[in-house]
Each structure stands twice: as C-alpha cells, then as structure tokens.
Amino acid sequence: MAEEFTIVFAEEPAWDEIGGGINAHNKQYGGEEHFQRLCYVVKDAAGAVVGGVIGEMYWGWLFVNLMWLRADLRGRGYGHQLLERIEAEARQRGAKQVYLDTFSFQAPDFYKQHGYRVFGELKDFPPGHTRFFMTKEL
C-alpha cells in the first residue's frame, strides 16, 4: 500500500527540517560549503549601531546580504569602508567572487563604482522600480 502525504500550511516555518534537507542535498553535488558569516558595523559615540554590512560565505563566494547606513551618514565614506572591509575579509578567507542584490532606489551606482556589474534584474519589483543582481571578482 502506498504511503499517503498531506500538504498543510505551517504557521511556523520548518527551517531546520527544510534547510537541513536542502543543505544535505547540496553537499552531495557541491561539496562542503564552508559556511561563514561576516559582519562589520558602524557605531556612534554611545555605542549604538548606525550602519553596517552583513555577509555570508560559502563555496568560495561572498554574498553581501544586507548593507545599511543611517541617512545622515550616507555620502561620507562609511559605505565604501564597509564594503571594502567585508570584501577584504572574504578574500582573506578564500572567497574569489561576490554577489548581492539591490533596488533601483537603493545603491546600484554605488556598487558599480566598486566594480560590480549587473547580471540580472527584475523590473517592477517593487512596482515602478527594479531589483538588480550584481557580481564581481574579488
């Protein structure tokens, strides 16, 4: 007799089961990913975080997941320093490539100044804007 399965909505995502399953599958084909997290923050005089960059490394790639600076700090060189530091750290840890995504109302020109090129885009995401996917060699 065949086993029956059901599909149900989960109020709490099953991150461990689903993530563990896909990671095991990926390891069969891609080998050990050597996952690492990287983070640099900008702090004010009181120690509050006013900006930063968060990245993840796996399979020799750096993914710049999040980068943000408080509005009054933009254009003052902190973004350049954050990006340069996370790229340098990733390079030191063996990364050869980097990728990220950004919206047209965020910072595509900033990343282009750092040598990133667009390899894909989603128009009208969100409506009236474009989401860009960018990469470069380290």
Side-chain angles (χ1 to χ4, degrees), residues 83-100:
L83 191 59
E84 288 170 358
R85 287 187 188 194
I86 201 166
E87 287 177 355
E89 183 67 27
R91 215 179 281 112
Q92 181 180 347
R93 293 179 184 216
K96 304 287 187 223
Q97 308 280 340
V98 58
Y99 74 102
L100 56 83

Side-chain angles (χ1 to χ4, degrees), residues 9-118:
F9 180 79
E11 291 291 334
E12 293 292 324
W15 291 106
D16 290 341
E17 296 84 357
I18 297 169
I22 193 67
N23 287 342
H25 175 80
N26 290 349
K27 190 174 179 179
Q28 289 178 1
Y29 296 93
E32 185 62 46
E33 65 182 20
H34 302 288
F35 180 81
Q36 301 172 64
R37 287 194 172 94
L38 307 174
C39 180
Y40 285 92
V41 296
V42 179
K43 292 185 175 187
D44 67 12
V49 174
V50 295
V53 61
I54 297 173
E56 299 173 344
M57 280 187 51
Y58 45 92
W59 288 319
W61 282 77
L62 167 65
F63 170 51
V64 177
N65 192 349
L66 299 171
M67 188 158 150
W68 167 79
L69 279 170
R70 198 172 66 191
D72 63 313
L73 298 175
R74 295 176 192 154
R76 296 173 53 185
Y78 294 107
H80 293 285
Q81 291 179 56
L82 286 168
L83 191 59
E84 288 170 358
R85 287 187 188 194
I86 201 166
E87 287 177 355
E89 183 67 27
R91 215 179 281 112
Q92 181 180 347
R93 293 179 184 216
K96 304 287 187 223
Q97 308 280 340
V98 58
Y99 74 102
L100 56 83
D101 64 274
T102 188
F103 294 101
S104 55
F105 57 84
Q106 289 179 329
D109 291 336
F110 168 82
Y111 293 114
K112 287 177 184 175
Q113 290 173 3
H114 284 270
Y116 287 77
R117 65 172 179 76
V118 173

